[in-house]
């Protein structure tokens, strides 16, 4: 198996988007790639961060794949050669396993790439662009990704500030009311999405009268006027502020003059510089967590992720070795009908206990002797 990868590591979005093919285009590309006898198997993976072509055949077909990609993307062959990453044989398999496990993702350990790769594989398989070898390789990569997910903290340790905020707020109670100030900004929008992913959180967002971009929002969000924000603090368990305002969005003075009842409330200040009055920390049940708190956790979690990569790579190595044995055994399988039960047990035992290299040598010797 070979792979040509056009991904976020080498290519900026404005070029990468030229390779964001829809299903009809992907189908035409794979049909053209498999014309004649050059390439018999291929899978085309397209996500927002990468476009990758996995195909069989020798290295000499790289130029042909580049020609087809150039034709459908209107990006020159020379530009594709400049930006692309090329993987052959075992390196291509290793790269695929890193992709499906999330190790190669922009957000290390993210889960979405696994379902995206599985969808790309099924699309190709259902259109008859794969056979047993690619089926075995891709299915094994999916199994490996699940093992890594279950046995390492790679995909379970959040490093996104927005995700960490959502996790903290979700632990406040079964029916938590949250007011988000500054929901229209980049951070605020992401925070709102993460909050809504938790079923126990109810979200209200503020909007200035002159800001019309939030006129159409999620049905689960209530939009309230920014100037009335203090009226909604009474019924809120948490207030998240993520504005770019040069002024405080919440002050102790206004809290004192807004008839807000004292109770335990979490204030999350994601603005830089801070836009929640620090004098509210510890006052009338208020407690403040600022952006530094979440970035510290994110940095710590990222170190955990980085340390888990070594474990993940070890699992990948082990699973690829098992894959090699499966492929060797599959080629030998037609001859198993002439093998008696006693010898079959020996062969299965050798497959289980030997490395792929040793098992290949064993099968080679067995075929010569039998």
């Amino acid at each position: 198996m070979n792979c040509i990868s056009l991904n976020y590591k080498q290519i900026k979005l404005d070029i990468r988007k030229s390779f964001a093919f829809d299903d009809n285009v992907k189908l035409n590309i794979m049909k053209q790639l498999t014309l004649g006898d050059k390439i018999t198997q291929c899978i085309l993976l397209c996500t927002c961060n990468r476009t990758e072509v996995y195909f069989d055949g020798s290295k000499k077909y790289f130029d042909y794949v580049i020609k087809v990609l150039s034709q459908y993307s209107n990006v020159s062959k020379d530009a594709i050669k400049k930006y692309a990453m090329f993987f052959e044989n075992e390196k291509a398999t290793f790269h695929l396993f890193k992709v499906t496990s999330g190790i190669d993702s922009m957000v290390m350990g993210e889960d979405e790439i696994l379902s995206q790769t599985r969808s790309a594989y099924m699309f190709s398989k259902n259109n008859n662009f794969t056979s047993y070898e690619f089926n075995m390789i891709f299915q094994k990569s999916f199994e490996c990704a699940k093992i890594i997910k279950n046995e390492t903290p790679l995909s379970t340790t959040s490093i996104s500030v927005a995700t960490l905020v959502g996790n903290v707020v979700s632990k406040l109670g079964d029916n938590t009311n949250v007011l988000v100030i500054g929901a229209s900004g980049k951070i605020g929008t992401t925070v709102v999405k993460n909050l809504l992913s938790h079923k126990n959180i109810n979200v209200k967002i503020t909007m200035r009268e002159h800001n019309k971009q939030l006129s159409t929002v999620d049905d689960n969000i209530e939009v309230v006027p920014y100037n009335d924000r203090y009226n909604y603090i009474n019924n809120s368990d948490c207030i998240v502020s993520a504005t770019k305002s040069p002024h405080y969005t919440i002050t102790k003075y206004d809290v004192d003059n807004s008839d807000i009842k004292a109770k335990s409330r979490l204030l999350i200040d994601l603005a830089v510089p801070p836009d929640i009055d620090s004098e509210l920390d510890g006052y009338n049940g208020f407690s403040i967590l600022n952006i530094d708190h979440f970035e510290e956790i994110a940095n710590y979690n990222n170190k955990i992720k980085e340390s888990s990569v070594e474990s993940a790579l070890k699992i990948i190595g082990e699973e690829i070795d098992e894959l090699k044995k499966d492929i060797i055994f599959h080629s030998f399988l037609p001859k198993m009908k002439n093998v008696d039960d006693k010898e079959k047990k020996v062969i299965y035992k050798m497959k289980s206990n030997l490395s792929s290299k040793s098992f290949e040598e064993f099968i080679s010797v067995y075929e010569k002797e039998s």
Side-chain angles (χ1 to χ4, degrees):
M1 183 174 76
N2 303 302
C3 173
I4 293 178
S5 175
L6 297 151
N7 61 61
Y8 70 95
K9 296 179 181 179
Q10 306 289 336
I11 312 174
K12 293 182 178 180
L13 180 61
D14 59 340
I15 299 176
R16 211 162 61 236
K17 65 184 181 182
S18 300
F19 300 93
F21 308 121
D22 62 28
D23 283 352
N24 288 330
V25 175
K26 285 190 284 186
L27 189 61
N28 288 333
I29 289 174
M30 290 191 288
K31 284 179 178 178
Q32 186 163 337
L33 288 176
T34 53
L35 284 176
D37 58 356
K38 289 181 178 180
I39 295 170
T40 60
Q41 301 180 84
C42 64
I43 292 173
L44 181 54
L45 171 65
C46 293
T47 75
C48 58
N49 286 325
R50 67 179 68 242
T51 293
E52 297 186 335
V53 184
Y54 294 88
F55 59 98
D56 62 355
S58 65
K59 182 180 179 180
K60 64 183 180 180
Y61 299 137
F62 275 108
D63 283 340
Y64 179 64
V65 176
I66 291 171
K67 177 183 176 182
V68 174
L69 287 175
S70 176
Q71 176 184 336
Y72 283 90
S73 66
N74 291 320
V75 176
S76 71
K77 291 187 289 183
D78 288 340
I80 293 176
K81 289 179 181 179
K82 176 182 177 181
Y83 294 121
M85 301 174 71
F86 301 92
F87 303 94
E88 296 179 71
N89 305 322
E90 289 185 21
K91 290 182 179 179
T93 302
F94 188 73
H95 173 73
L96 170 65
F97 276 58
K98 286 174 64 181
V99 168
T100 56
S101 66
I103 293 176
D104 202 60
S105 295
M106 184 181 292
V107 178
M108 191 183 298
E110 55 99 358
D111 291 328
E112 189 177 4
I113 188 62
L114 176 58
S115 62
Q116 290 171 328
T117 310
R118 185 184 284 112
S119 295
Y121 161 69
M122 290 305 302
F123 182 77
S124 183
K125 183 175 184 291
N126 291 339
N127 284 284
N128 301 313
F129 293 111
T130 69
S131 63
Y132 83 91
E133 184 180 354
F134 270 37
N135 293 338
M136 292 176 75
I137 293 172
F138 274 79
Q139 288 169 10
K140 193 67 172 179
S141 76
F142 304 149
E143 293 173 13
C144 182
K146 289 181 179 179
I147 293 172
I148 290 172
K149 180 178 176 62
N150 292 332
E151 296 186 6
T152 75
L154 187 66
S155 62
T156 57
T157 308
S158 300
I159 60 173
S160 161
V161 169
T163 303
L164 291 171
V165 168
N167 292 343
V168 167
V169 176
S170 69
K171 296 175 182 177
L172 294 179
D174 292 334
N175 190 27
T176 300
N177 296 315
V178 182
L179 177 66
V180 179
I181 302 171
S184 62
K186 183 177 181 182
I187 295 177
T189 301
T190 310
V191 167
V192 169
K193 289 180 180 178
N194 277 274
L195 290 172
L196 290 174
S197 69
H198 298 275
K199 294 181 179 179
N200 64 318
I201 296 178
N202 308 308
V203 178
K204 289 182 174 69
I205 63 175
T206 65
M207 182 176 70
R208 296 182 188 273
E209 290 182 4
H210 62 270
N211 187 345
K212 301 299 183 184
Q213 70 183 87
L214 288 176
S215 58
T216 304
V217 294
D218 191 289
D219 292 337
N220 296 315
I221 303 175
E222 180 181 349
V223 180
V224 300
Y226 174 80
N227 289 338
D228 294 342
R229 61 193 181 283
Y230 286 99
N231 297 335
Y232 292 90
I233 290 178
N234 251 332
N235 295 322
S236 298
D237 304 295
C238 175
I239 299 92
V240 180
S241 187
T243 76
K244 293 181 179 179
S245 171
H247 312 291
Y248 281 145
T249 56
I250 303 175
T251 66
K252 181 176 178 295
Y253 174 84
D254 287 318
V255 166
D256 284 338
N257 289 277
S258 300
D259 195 27
I260 294 174
K261 297 176 182 178
K263 78 164 193 174
S264 177
R265 289 185 183 88
L266 178 62
L267 300 173
I268 297 178
D269 190 347
L270 301 179
V272 179
D275 57 13
I276 294 179
D277 189 347
S278 61
E279 289 188 20
L280 284 170
D281 195 21
Y283 178 74
N284 278 1
F286 286 104
S287 59
I288 299 177
L289 293 178
N290 60 26
I291 187 69
D292 289 341
H293 170 82
F294 292 100
E295 287 185 344
E296 184 178 342
I297 297 174
N299 290 334
Y300 174 75
N301 286 354
N302 196 45
K303 289 180 181 178
I304 294 175
K305 279 182 177 287
E306 289 174 353
S307 66
S308 67
V309 169
E310 186 175 345
S311 299
L313 291 176
K314 182 180 179 182
I315 292 171
I316 288 175
E318 293 170 351
E319 291 302 303
I320 288 178
D321 196 66
E322 288 298 315
L323 170 65
K324 290 177 184 176
K325 288 192 285 185
D326 289 341
I327 293 174
I328 293 166
F329 184 71
H330 185 276
S331 299
F332 177 75
L333 202 55
K335 300 176 183 178
M336 284 286 281
K337 61 183 179 181
N338 300 320
V339 178
D340 61 39
D341 290 342
K342 186 177 181 179
E343 289 184 343
K344 283 181 181 178
K345 289 181 179 179
V346 172
I347 293 170
Y348 281 113
K349 186 175 182 179
M350 292 298 102
K351 181 178 181 292
S352 177
N353 294 334
L354 296 177
S355 67
S356 60
K357 184 177 180 180
S358 297
F359 182 63
E360 185 176 29
E361 292 173 351
F362 167 78
I363 291 296
S364 178
V365 171
Y366 182 86
E367 288 179 322
K368 290 178 181 178
E369 296 296 328
S370 58

